[in-house]
Amino acid sequence: MVRVAEQTRRIWRRAASLGWPIAVQQFFNTLMRTVDIFVTGLFSPAAIAAVGIADLYAQFPLRVGLSFGTGAIALSSQDTGRGATVSRNRVISQALVLGFLCGIPLVVVGYLFSRPLIGVLGANAEVVRTGGRYLFIIFAAAPMRIVGLVGIRSLQGTGDTQTPMVLNSAASVLNILLTLTLGLGLWIAPALGIVGVGIATFTSRTAEAISVVGVLAYARNDISLVWSRDATIARQLIAVSLPNFAEGMSTSLARFPFNAILLAFGTAPNAAYHVGRRIYQQLAAPFSRALTTVTSIIVGQTLGEGKPTRARREARAILSLSLVVLGAVAAILFVGARRLVSLFEQDPEVVGYAVSFTRVFAVSVVFMAVFYPLSGALRGAGDTRTPFYARFLGSTVFLLGVSFALSIVAGYQVVGAYVGLGLSFACWAGVVAAGFVRGNWADTAAAMIEERSAVDGS
């Protein structure tokens, strides 16, 4: 028992050492979006709804970047664990190129269809006009957004979490400063409103991509960008990335009809959902995303060393840490919901709904404490299918199915949405926990490593 406790403390210390830079990075990244909502909240509830709906479409470049980033972090962490530097550099380089190419079509979509994409959800004319302008600018930044995400996660896969923290946090701070300056017209800048918020995002994400590529190409370490057409690496990247993309998009796409359900009861519930979600993201995301990334790094590197039993033990130890940390966050969210909401919105109707949404998210954080570390362990091994199944079922059956049945069919209105939202998170946690306990994810990692070893001779 004493030995187990000491091993757990050792893993907690390693997780904390790797995780605090990621938590800081995610804090600033989430704060950037929180400031966006705060600034637009100074305009009107319609402005909040416009940015919130446009950000649903902004999930497309985000999900592409995260999916290739997940592939990069899985393969690069495994190669780091087995000391295969050449293969790792090829993985990072090919992930960057594939990600950039996938971002180009999104620029075209943004140019041609920004306003129709906002209007298709049934938003009013003011939301369509302002949201369309914002979405066009966000889609224009898609290739750079994806490159930045892939580069950041590639560095994390090697065990370097401090450099990504500096680069991403600097970009987020730049975004915040530009949002305040251009959105509100501070100092000598014109007050551009939502357009200014979009320009801030475009500028900061472009700066982030350039800085990340610069570090990868010219930093004095053993990482280097190389021209690679290795079919094995490309196939494995795509095989790991595609289910992760489908996982993220199953959630993102489900939010479109979920927003439409809320809009059926007016702009106030929809704006309240985005406020509650932003509060949840600001407080929980820095920890949850740090935990999932740290678990991917540690499990991936340990599997690369050929120690699957130790990888399982490490994942369980990080799960216990997650329950402690996110349990505390859940309590803060639930108890402080009204005070937190008042920081964003004063409209009584919006505040009432937003407090309820925030408390639903607070309860859901407990389920997220299970989902994030265990899904991170699976992804570190290259198993991205199980997290996809979890999110797909949660999003389709509960977020949409239960919400629609209770809200529209049974007539419980927004209360039905609260129930569907909470049950979707419970589903995520249950499916991933079953996959971790019963799945063959360690064998998946071993097979991928053996295939790359046969190519690079390591």
Side-chain angles (χ1 to χ4, degrees):
M1 183 66 68
V2 174
R3 183 183 177 187
V4 172
E6 177 56 35
Q7 289 175 340
T8 299
R9 285 194 294 269
R10 177 184 58 80
I11 296 167
W12 281 25
R13 286 193 295 268
R14 186 183 178 194
S17 177
L18 287 170
W20 75 261
I22 302 173
V24 171
Q25 169 191 330
Q26 290 299 332
F27 171 81
F28 282 106
N29 195 39
T30 310
L31 180 62
M32 176 190 69
R33 284 289 166 241
T34 302
V35 171
D36 287 353
I37 294 294
F38 175 79
V39 170
T40 53
L42 298 176
F43 305 144
S44 66
I48 295 180
V51 170
I53 294 172
D55 278 344
L56 294 175
Y57 291 103
Q59 294 289 307
F60 282 88
L62 173 66
R63 295 304 179 186
V64 173
L66 290 177
S67 63
F68 278 113
T70 296
I73 204 172
L75 273 59
S76 68
S77 64
Q78 293 170 11
D79 286 344
T80 298
R82 67 191 183 97
T85 303
V86 173
S87 176
R88 183 190 63 193
N89 291 341
R90 290 173 180 170
V91 165
I92 294 172
S93 301
Q94 289 189 222
L96 288 170
V97 172
L98 289 171
F100 180 82
L101 293 176
C102 287
I104 294 176
L106 294 174
V107 178
V108 178
V109 170
Y111 178 76
L112 296 176
F113 304 112
S114 290
R115 288 196 180 187
L117 287 173
I118 301 295
V120 74
L121 295 181
N124 62 39
E126 178 62 17
V127 172
V128 170
R129 183 181 65 82
T130 55
R133 292 177 180 176
Y134 174 80
L135 182 60
F136 165 69
I137 300 170
I138 297 303
F139 268 4
M144 293 303 183
R145 173 65 165 148
I146 295 169
V147 167
L149 285 166
V150 173
I152 289 292
R153 294 176 74 82
S154 295
L155 282 168
Q156 290 171 344
T158 68
D160 178 6
T161 57
Q162 295 191 25
T163 302
M165 174 192 69
V166 172
L167 298 177
N168 185 257
S169 297
S172 297
V173 171
L174 174 62
N175 193 315
I176 291 168
L177 294 176
L178 289 176
T179 291
L180 293 170
T181 303
L182 298 176
L184 301 177
L186 302 181
W187 196 34
I188 61 173
L192 299 178
I194 290 180
V195 171
V197 175
I199 292 173
T201 300
F202 178 92
T203 304
S204 64
R205 291 315 175 191
T206 300
E208 179 187 48
I210 293 171
S211 63
V212 168
V213 172
V215 166
L216 289 170
Y218 301 111
R220 295 181 179 178
N221 51 35
D222 60 353
I223 301 174
S224 61
L225 297 181
V226 296
W227 177 251
S228 173
R229 293 182 292 178
D230 190 314
T232 298
I233 289 176
R235 180 165 48 78
Q236 288 192 1
L237 276 172
I238 293 172
V240 174
S241 299
L242 274 179
N244 184 257
F245 177 75
E247 172 196 342
M249 289 311 302
S250 67
T251 306
S252 298
L253 290 174
R255 291 195 186 115
F256 287 86
F258 184 73
N259 271 263
I261 291 172
L262 295 177
L263 284 168
F265 307 113
T267 299
N270 184 265
Y273 164 70
H274 292 292
V275 170
R277 183 169 178 267
R278 180 48 46 198
I279 293 170
Y280 148 75
Q281 290 281 356
Q282 183 61 58
L283 293 184
F287 300 107
S288 61
R289 291 175 183 172
L291 287 161
T292 192
T293 303
V294 163
T295 314
S296 291
I297 295 169
I298 292 177
V299 169
Q301 291 185 359
T302 302
L303 291 172
E305 295 170 5
K307 301 175 180 177
T309 301
R310 197 179 90 187
R312 285 184 179 273
R313 185 169 62 248
E314 290 169 337
R316 288 195 294 268
I318 299 174
L319 171 62
S320 65
L321 176 62
S322 177
L323 289 168
V324 171
V325 173
L326 290 178
V329 172
I332 293 170
L333 276 171
F334 194 90
V335 174
R338 184 166 297 276
R339 181 168 295 181
L340 291 167
V341 167
S342 67
L343 298 175
F344 292 85
E345 185 59 54
Q346 302 301 320
D347 183 281
E349 185 180 12
V350 176
V351 168
Y353 287 121
V355 169
S356 297
F357 271 117
T358 302
R359 287 179 173 154
V360 171
F361 279 118
V363 174
S364 302
V365 167
V366 178
F367 299 118
M368 294 298 94
V370 175
F371 173 79
Y372 278 105
L374 295 187
S375 63
L378 296 174
R379 294 182 189 117
D383 176 9
T384 50
R385 292 179 181 271
T386 301
F388 161 63
Y389 298 146
R391 289 211 187 196
F392 180 77
L393 288 173
S395 298
T396 55
V397 175
F398 295 101
L399 184 67
L400 295 184
V402 171
S403 294
F404 180 80
L406 294 180
S407 296
I408 305 297
V409 179
Y412 288 103
Q413 298 188 8
V414 183
V415 173
Y418 300 152
V419 175
L421 181 63
L423 289 178
S424 69
F425 289 121
C427 176
W428 292 10
V431 173
V432 162
F436 176 80
V437 173
R438 302 174 62 88
N440 61 346
W441 48 273
D443 295 335
T444 298
M448 293 174 64
I449 291 170
E450 183 179 359
E451 187 177 28
R452 293 199 305 279
S453 297
V455 174
D456 60 33
S458 58

